[in-house]
Amino acid sequence: DMAMTNTNPLAAPKRPAAAASRRRDLLVLGGLFALVLVGLAGLAAATGWRETLDQIARLTVPEVVALLALSLVNYGFRGLRWHMFARRLGLPTGLAQDLRHFLGGFAMSVTPGRVGELVRMRWLRRETGWAFERTAPLVLVDRASDLAAMALILAAAVSLSAAGMAGAVPVVVLALAAAWVATRPALLAGMATWAFRILGVWPRLFARIRAASRSLARFTGAPVMLGAAVLGIVGWLAEGYAFHLLLMWMGSDVGFWTAVAIFVFATLAGGATGAPGGVGGAEAAMIGLLMLEGVALEVSVPATLIIRVTTLWFAIGIGFAVFPFAERISLRARDALEGG
């Protein structure tokens, strides 16, 4: 079907178009990073450059390595969860292959709503021949698992910390509700049918959504969801612990659970803004919550900058390192499948 080939967003792009898209992505990334730096630099200038730079200079190389290592723990555990979901779905992929897809998708983390991470499904289609509607549940359940794990961590952190974060309660409820909806096959299929009847357009798209939602039944078992929850919680707690260590090293220990609550809340709040990667919103929330805990701007600003660089931007860097290999390997696999 030529029409489907031309309109499929996951179809293999032409090489010149792919190169132009890569340049555009790099420009967007650079622009977003520059905007964040400008905003944080403005706050640093308001509080005094010397104080801010002194706080950054207090960090040693081993401490920075420790922060990056804890981020790798997060990516590793969530990558294992992706592999577990892929096996549950029945994909004929191995651990190294699944980790390559998962890490390579980080290159698209700062697309609106992180929709760029759907590139993982393009790689899966090239390497396995599975269509979009068969692999879509993998992306959906992975995102739902992240929401559920972060909501559970935030609920525990708020209840165990001394911080007054009443505003976190609706965030926890919304995150858990979104995770629940995303793993209800009948509900999602019904919503797709309702949306099509209201809009009356894109019949193929809504048919694919209904087909994909039915595959979610593979993930609703208690053992699968429990395993996913454990892997997600351990992963996100590792980055929360990194934030706690960072604040201690900068002389502003607010307590482990308070640091975790601030980190997770800011991450969720940034994502809720719809901004690519939560850029802007997450930083503002983090600085504001740290100030409510009595942390001075000359500490909260560099702490926010450092933790975002060693988590979000570190992941994006890994994604851009892995992306070309994932693309080349998937193209070779596609050629082999077509040639076979």
Side-chain angles (χ1 to χ4, degrees):
D1 189 331
M2 186 60 68
M4 278 294 292
T5 302
N6 291 339
T7 58
N8 186 354
L10 297 175
K14 303 292 186 183
R15 293 299 178 87
S21 177
R22 186 80 55 81
R23 287 194 295 270
R24 184 181 66 246
D25 292 338
L26 287 171
L27 286 173
V28 171
L29 281 172
L32 287 169
F33 191 59
L35 286 173
V36 172
L37 285 179
V38 168
L40 294 176
L43 289 173
T47 59
W49 280 105
R50 181 176 296 277
E51 290 81 358
T52 300
L53 294 176
D54 285 345
Q55 290 294 335
I56 295 176
R58 292 178 65 173
L59 286 181
T60 64
V61 172
E63 288 170 347
V64 174
V65 171
L67 297 178
L68 296 176
L70 286 166
S71 289
L72 287 176
V73 170
N74 181 25
Y75 312 150
F77 273 83
R78 289 165 58 209
L80 287 174
R81 186 186 63 195
W82 177 272
H83 175 63
M84 182 186 75
F85 285 149
R87 301 303 298 166
R88 185 70 179 179
L89 190 60
L91 277 163
T93 52
L95 177 60
Q97 189 177 7
D98 288 330
L99 288 177
R100 182 175 69 243
H101 297 159
F102 182 74
L103 295 175
F106 283 161
M108 301 292 124
S109 293
V110 291
T111 51
R114 297 172 63 180
V115 295
E117 291 186 3
L118 296 179
V119 70
R120 293 166 177 155
M121 288 191 291
R122 187 176 77 197
W123 293 332
L124 284 169
R125 191 195 60 194
R126 289 174 178 172
E127 296 174 28
T128 66
W130 282 41
F132 164 83
E133 56 266 27
R134 296 183 69 188
T135 57
L138 180 60
V139 176
L140 188 59
V141 75
D142 183 71
R143 192 65 51 81
S145 295
D146 268 340
L147 283 173
M150 295 177 79
L152 291 172
I153 291 172
L154 184 57
V158 170
S159 63
L160 294 170
S161 72
M165 293 181 61
V169 175
V171 174
V172 171
V173 173
L174 287 174
L176 286 174
W180 183 81
V181 169
T183 54
R184 300 297 99 187
L187 179 59
L188 282 177
M191 290 173 65
T193 301
W194 176 80
F196 172 69
R197 288 174 178 171
I198 295 295
L199 298 174
V201 295
W202 307 315
R204 287 182 176 177
L205 174 62
F206 285 112
R208 286 185 167 195
I209 293 174
R210 286 193 296 269
S213 64
R214 287 192 290 270
S215 298
L216 285 172
R218 292 175 178 264
F219 305 104
T220 55
V224 176
M225 297 312 296
L226 179 60
V230 171
L231 291 171
I233 288 171
V234 172
W236 286 108
L237 271 179
E239 287 193 345
Y241 180 56
F243 190 48
H244 167 61
L245 289 178
L246 176 61
L247 291 172
M248 283 202 309
W249 293 334
M250 300 182 85
S252 297
D253 185 8
V254 297
F256 171 73
W257 286 112
T258 298
V260 169
I262 291 173
F263 175 79
V264 174
F265 179 87
T267 303
L268 286 171
T273 65
V279 172
E283 290 81 5
M286 199 170 289
I287 291 172
L289 290 171
L290 286 172
M291 290 180 65
L292 288 176
E293 291 300 310
V295 179
L297 267 178
E298 56 265 25
V299 175
S300 63
V301 171
T304 297
L305 172 62
I306 292 166
I307 200 62
R308 292 291 276 173
V309 167
T310 57
T311 54
L312 172 67
W313 295 101
F314 181 44
I316 292 170
I318 291 174
F320 268 92
V322 175
F323 190 97
F325 296 101
E327 189 74 3
R328 283 198 296 270
I329 292 171
S330 69
L331 286 171
R332 286 201 299 266
R334 183 196 64 184
D335 293 341
L337 283 175
E338 292 176 352

